[in-house]
Amino acid sequence: MQEFDALLNEFTKELSPYKKAEKEYILEAAHWASSLHGKQKRASGDPYLIHPLRVAEILIKLYLDYNAIIAALLHDVLEDTEVTRTELRKKFGKEIEALVNGVTKISLIRAKSKTVQEAETIRKMLFAMARDVRVILIKLADKLHNMRTLEYLQPEKRKKIAGECLDIYAPLAGRLGISWIKNELEDLSLKYLQPEVFKQIQIWVSERHKQHSQYLARVKKAITDMAAEAKIKIQLEARAKHFYSIYKKMKKTGGPIDEIYDLLGIRILCSTVGECYELLGIVHNIWPPIEGRFKDYIAMAKSNGYQSLHTTVMGYDGKLIEIQIRTHEMHRTAENGIAAHWLYKKGFSKEIVRPEDIPIINQLKSWEDTRGASIEFLDEIKQELLKDSIYVFTPKGEVIELPKGSTAVDFAYHIHTEVGNHCMAAKADDMIIPLNKELKNTQVIEIITANNARPHVNWLRYARTSRARSKIRHWLNQNDANLIIDRSIVVKKTPVVTHVHKPLKEKKQQPLKQVLDKSKIGIRSGNERNLMIRIAQCCHPTIGDAIIGYVSRGRGIIVHRADCPNQAYIKDFKERMIDVEWETVSPKAAKRFKVTAKLTSDLFSEIEGALRKFRGHLIEGKLEDSTGETLNGFFTVELDNQEDFSKVLKSLRTIPAVVNIQPVQMF
Ligand code: MN
């Protein structure tokens, strides 16, 4: 075990930024990891322990707190050793357990295919499952070390891992603003995906290195002298472009590598924002700037918080030089992105820094900006990007994206129509769940099928996706004609309500179903609003109908249509009659439409489903069977805007049973 002692000693030296007690705790974890991984070896033949130690070191470089470092040291113990979550929790507490478990769960993800969309799904998935951003940072460090040691794997495996890295993990690092990890992951991916191109760039860069460095020395001297004259203390860095960005430029221009003009890069670091602009003036004084190449990311920071001035100038011998000017603090943000804030805002405090504590650097961000991440990414990504979707696993670890609110029925039909049609029960994380239960992010969903199981008409109400609904409808139509009218939603024919001695003279339409949300729609009598109301069961008034109220004894106001023929049979109607009016509680958002459809069982759930998709709400509605063949109905719905309303109507028009659907004026 001498070998281990040497490794652990070396690791101890890296821990200087941490307090004594923190250091001891970290070392305890390191020793435990060493005994747990024991004789396990990496593909390189090295002891496995090297891997968690290196991963932890990467995170130390990102200034993460000691809990994250401990979790990094233990990140593989749940997957690769006999240790259980309970043991881990007993030894290092809940927080570490949650971090390690989060990282372990991510490694369960299996990409089905490597399409861009799949990569995007997985990326969203990662964010969805990481309740704590440190989980993602540990995973990135894990990937980085694996990529650094990729040469020891078989070529086929290398390519697969490198491809996944380029699709998912490098952009993830970019979104978090950790540019050095992003760059290194991209370069390493390129090395294994396009070994020839990589070599070509490598040769080209090294051939020019000497020539470049002489040239850059001249440039540096000129800047240093002028800055000294202006009494500004600066630090200068020659900036080598990373290989992958050269590769991208080659692909974009399609031209030979020599024509890629902005390979010469200089970075000037100073202390204040004022100095940045002063230095910009100095640089433009020495060399003329190229038009259209100046960017002020100090005034307008990138969405991941990146700030800097960029300019390109015509340097000596007509060569173009790309110059970045920024303060030291901006530089730390540029290099370490989101992680920079752990250190510089809170230091190595014991207090756990929650992502929501991270200050919003830039209000002018658009998430679409793929140049980088939003610093308050949990707020933005979770609330914006993930607001409409959830991500669940199959038992094999495949990621399935479903709309929010989806149930096991949606999941089953997503897997396969036959799985849906024979779905008997479902399990989420090994627990049986009801089929109408909303699925939650990151659950592992298992569908239990049986040969004699078959869809039930109620499933139409459980299903959130149009795919599942149309499959269920299809099955019902094919297999069970009796179900075409869903009896559960047919309102029983009620004899005319009270005080009525004779049946209705004319046959009135009987509603199949009526809803009225009393929180959204009301009846007003003069200025009196809080009336106890009931809708008359004889004439079923609906919004827009002229109405009249009848003050009953102890049952509130019964609202009839003004032309209800029963008035004549209610003996004290005239005495007890009051004027009433319809009133929507949110008249602005309310929209109304009219439907004609063939007799079908699930028009109501179709309408409700279409509304849910746009976060709308059914305020009131009624379907009537006028001829025994056709349904007529009016619906009042609440939707945020006209555009969504049009989309809802459009989607309802695609239902085969719908003959006609038209918006109508609100009253
Ligand atoms: Mn690992």
Side-chain angles (χ1 to χ4, degrees):
M1 291 295 123
Q2 244 179 350
E3 196 180 11
F4 282 7
D5 289 344
L7 287 173
L8 290 169
N9 274 339
E10 210 183 302
F11 177 69
T12 311
K13 288 181 202 152
E14 305 287 328
L15 298 178
S16 55
Y18 298 90
K19 291 181 196 138
K20 192 166 172 274
E22 294 174 346
K23 241 189 233 182
E24 280 165 14
Y25 206 30
I26 293 172
L27 284 174
E28 197 186 324
H31 279 103
W32 199 41
S34 117
S35 71
L36 288 174
H37 288 295
K39 290 200 173 77
Q40 289 172 5
K41 295 261 188 251
R42 296 275 287 171
S44 60
D46 285 332
Y48 196 89
L49 178 65
I50 285 189
H51 173 64
L53 292 178
R54 293 288 176 267
V55 171
E57 283 166 16
I58 291 167
L59 295 171
I60 293 170
K61 210 177 154 189
L62 284 175
Y63 312 109
L64 286 204
D65 67 292
Y66 73 100
N67 281 315
I69 305 304
I70 291 170
L73 290 167
L74 301 173
H75 80 269
D76 275 331
V77 301
L78 291 181
E79 211 181 342
D80 296 337
T81 78
E82 298 297 311
V83 164
T84 64
R85 279 172 70 175
T86 317
E87 285 170 87
L88 179 59
R89 184 170 60 238
K90 272 197 191 135
K91 228 171 145 77
F92 283 98
K94 259 190 170 163
E95 188 183 335
I96 305 281
E97 183 218 334
L99 288 170
V100 174
N101 187 45
V103 177
T104 308
K105 235 175 155 182
I106 288 176
S107 47
L108 285 173
I109 295 176
R110 303 272 178 274
K112 257 194 294 187
S113 65
K114 286 257 289 301
T115 61
V116 175
Q117 202 190 345
E118 186 78 16
E120 187 52 38
T121 304
I122 293 172
R123 207 148 52 215
K124 285 193 209 166
M125 173 83 195
L126 295 178
F127 283 117
M129 56 201 309
R131 279 187 203 98
D132 186 329
V133 69
R134 292 174 299 178
V135 168
I136 301 266
L137 296 172
I138 296 168
K139 192 66 211 174
L140 281 175
D142 178 38
K143 272 287 145 184
L144 183 57
H145 184 246
N146 285 338
M147 285 298 290
R148 282 175 179 172
T149 52
L150 200 60
E151 60 187 288
Y152 301 104
L153 298 187
Q154 294 299 313
E156 275 313 295
K157 219 168 173 197
R158 281 183 216 164
K159 283 210 163 156
K160 189 177 168 281
I161 292 172
E164 187 188 65
C165 186
L166 196 58
D167 280 350
I168 297 158
Y169 292 97
L172 195 59
R175 288 196 173 186
L176 296 172
I178 314 167
S179 59
W180 68 272
I181 291 190
K182 172 181 162 279
N183 292 348
E184 194 176 335
L185 288 177
E186 283 177 346
D187 283 358
L188 288 165
S189 302
L190 184 67
K191 182 174 165 185
Y192 294 104
L193 290 171
Q194 308 255 19
E196 288 307 310
V197 179
F198 186 84
K199 213 174 259 167
Q200 194 192 335
I201 296 174
Q202 199 171 33
I203 291 166
W204 189 88
V205 167
S206 71
E207 270 175 1
R208 271 151 189 78
H209 181 72
K210 208 180 157 200
Q211 183 194 333
H212 277 172
S213 48
Q214 281 167 354
Y215 182 89
L216 285 174
R218 276 171 77 197
V219 172
K220 275 181 168 179
K221 190 173 181 312
I223 298 173
T224 312
D225 289 352
M226 294 297 281
E229 219 169 276
K231 295 197 167 53
I232 303 174
K233 236 182 115 187
I234 59 164
Q235 194 182 318
L236 268 175
E237 293 176 351
R239 205 161 48 80
K241 263 202 172 316
H242 76 290
F243 286 16
Y244 189 73
S245 71
I246 297 174
Y247 166 73
K248 272 200 304 199
K249 209 142 243 175
M250 279 168 68
K251 260 177 69 175
K252 203 170 140 191
T253 58
I257 200 162
D258 286 305
E259 283 170 21
I260 300 159
Y261 51 83
D262 54 2
L263 289 166
L264 289 167
I266 290 262
R267 183 178 297 136
I268 310 172
L269 303 181
C270 56
S271 306
T272 67
V273 171
E275 286 174 359
C276 290
Y277 290 101
E278 217 175 314
L279 286 163
L280 180 75
I282 289 174
V283 165
H284 285 173
N285 227 343
I286 315 176
W287 304 286
I290 303 298
E291 217 183 290
R293 302 272 296 174
F294 170 66
K295 287 192 186 94
D296 186 347
Y297 292 120
I298 291 180
M300 298 269 279
K302 287 193 189 182
S303 60
N304 58 5
Y306 177 90
Q307 286 187 297
S308 188
L309 299 175
H310 288 189
T311 185
T312 303
V313 296
M314 175 86 76
Y316 301 121
D317 313 327
K319 274 202 170 95
L320 297 178
I321 316 164
E322 212 180 52
I323 296 174
Q324 299 177 343
I325 306 169
R326 58 176 82 144
T327 65
H328 293 284
E329 199 190 332
M330 290 172 189
H331 186 55
R332 282 191 291 263
T333 302
E335 288 294 297
N336 295 324
I338 191 169
H341 298 275
W342 259 274
L343 180 62
Y344 295 104
K345 297 292 174 192
K346 294 262 180 172
F348 287 94
S349 86
K350 268 199 164 169
E351 186 188 342
I352 306 146
V353 181
R354 293 289 163 203
E356 48 269 32
D357 294 338
I358 296 163
I360 295 166
I361 286 193
N362 166 28
Q363 298 290 345
L364 297 164
K365 55 184 54 80
S366 87
W367 169 248
E368 309 306 326
D369 181 355
T370 48
R371 287 174 304 197
S374 148
I375 288 296
E376 74 275 44
F377 82 105
L378 272 195
D379 273 1
E380 279 207 11
I381 296 169
K382 280 192 172 168
Q383 284 169 25
E384 287 306 315
L385 273 182
L386 301 174
K387 73 178 169 194
D388 297 324
S389 301
I390 57 156
Y391 300 86
V392 290
F393 292 114
T394 67
K396 283 181 186 162
E398 281 165 8
V399 184
I400 306 287
E401 180 179 4
L402 291 169
K404 202 167 237 171
S406 290
T407 59
V409 172
D410 295 297
F411 181 90
Y413 279 100
H414 183 96
I415 299 298
H416 197 277
T417 307
E418 285 307 299
V419 174
N421 285 345
H422 292 103
C423 169
M424 191 182 75
K427 281 182 177 179
D429 292 335
D430 278 336
M431 305 271 281
I432 292 278
I433 53 162
L435 289 180
N436 63 354
K437 179 133 179 133
E438 222 177 86
L439 303 184
K440 291 198 198 100
N441 254 324
T442 77
Q443 282 176 330
V444 177
I445 306 297
E446 192 183 337
I447 300 294
I448 300 154
T449 55
N451 278 339
N452 58 355
R454 37 172 271 177
H456 187 275
V457 69
N458 282 346
W459 289 11
L460 287 168
R461 281 194 281 257
Y462 305 163
R464 169 77 174 73
T465 55
S466 47
R467 178 188 163 84
R469 303 164 68 78
S470 75
K471 298 282 179 194
I472 297 164
R473 223 172 23 239
H474 182 78
W475 192 94
L476 292 175
N477 288 337
Q478 298 276 307
N479 293 277
D480 198 344
N482 295 330
L483 278 170
I484 283 180
I485 292 291
D486 175 10
R487 281 164 188 82
S488 66
I489 61 168
V490 176
V491 175
K492 268 195 217 148
K493 284 193 178 189
T494 31
V496 174
V497 199
T498 48
H499 313 287
V500 175
H501 311 290
K502 283 185 192 167
L504 293 175
K505 279 178 186 163
E506 44 194 306
K507 185 179 176 273
K508 291 305 289 184
Q509 293 180 348
Q510 282 300 316
L512 286 172
K513 190 179 179 185
Q514 181 167 23
V515 292
L516 199 145
D517 180 345
K518 286 188 183 152
S519 70
K520 300 283 178 188
I521 192 110
I523 301 284
R524 178 160 67 100
S525 178
N527 286 324
E528 191 54 61
R529 284 184 163 83
N530 292 319
L531 302 170
M532 180 179 162
I533 60 151
R534 295 167 72 98
I535 299 294
Q537 295 295 299
C538 48
C539 55
H540 297 282
T542 192
I543 286 193
D545 290 343
I547 45 173
I548 195 91
Y550 166 76
V551 184
S552 71
R553 292 187 175 86
R555 295 191 307 126
I557 296 167
I558 298 171
V559 178
H560 290 263
R561 282 209 319 228
D563 62 353
C564 176
N566 284 323
Q567 289 172 29
Y569 304 100
I570 301 173
K571 66 173 184 238
D572 52 355
F573 202 100
K574 285 256 149 55
E575 294 87 80
R576 296 180 155 261
M577 187 179 82
I578 57 163
D579 286 334
V580 288
E581 283 175 78
W582 293 104
E583 182 176 59
T584 48
V585 174
S586 51
K588 234 180 153 182
K591 314 258 183 308
R592 196 158 159 76
F593 62 88
K594 177 185 163 188
V595 195
T596 311
K598 286 181 223 148
L599 216 52
T600 171
S601 60
D602 58 324
L603 199 54
F604 244 89
S605 29
E606 288 285 359
I607 289 167
E608 283 171 329
L611 285 169
R612 259 203 307 276
K613 250 185 243 171
F614 295 92
R615 284 171 294 284
H617 181 88
L618 184 58
I619 294 176
E620 173 268 356
K622 184 169 76 170
L623 268 181
E624 289 175 324
D625 168 5
S626 55
T627 61
E629 278 165 21
T630 315
L631 297 172
N632 286 312
F634 282 93
F635 290 84
T636 307
V637 301
E638 187 179 53
L639 278 162
D640 283 346
N641 55 57
Q642 188 61 35
E643 205 181 310
D644 286 350
F645 182 52
S646 307
K647 283 182 192 157
V648 168
L649 294 189
K650 203 173 160 195
S651 94
L652 293 175
R653 280 194 190 101
T654 63
I655 301 167
V658 169
V659 178
N660 188 17
I661 185 159
Q662 289 301 331
V664 294
Q665 279 295 312
M666 283 297 293
F667 49 98

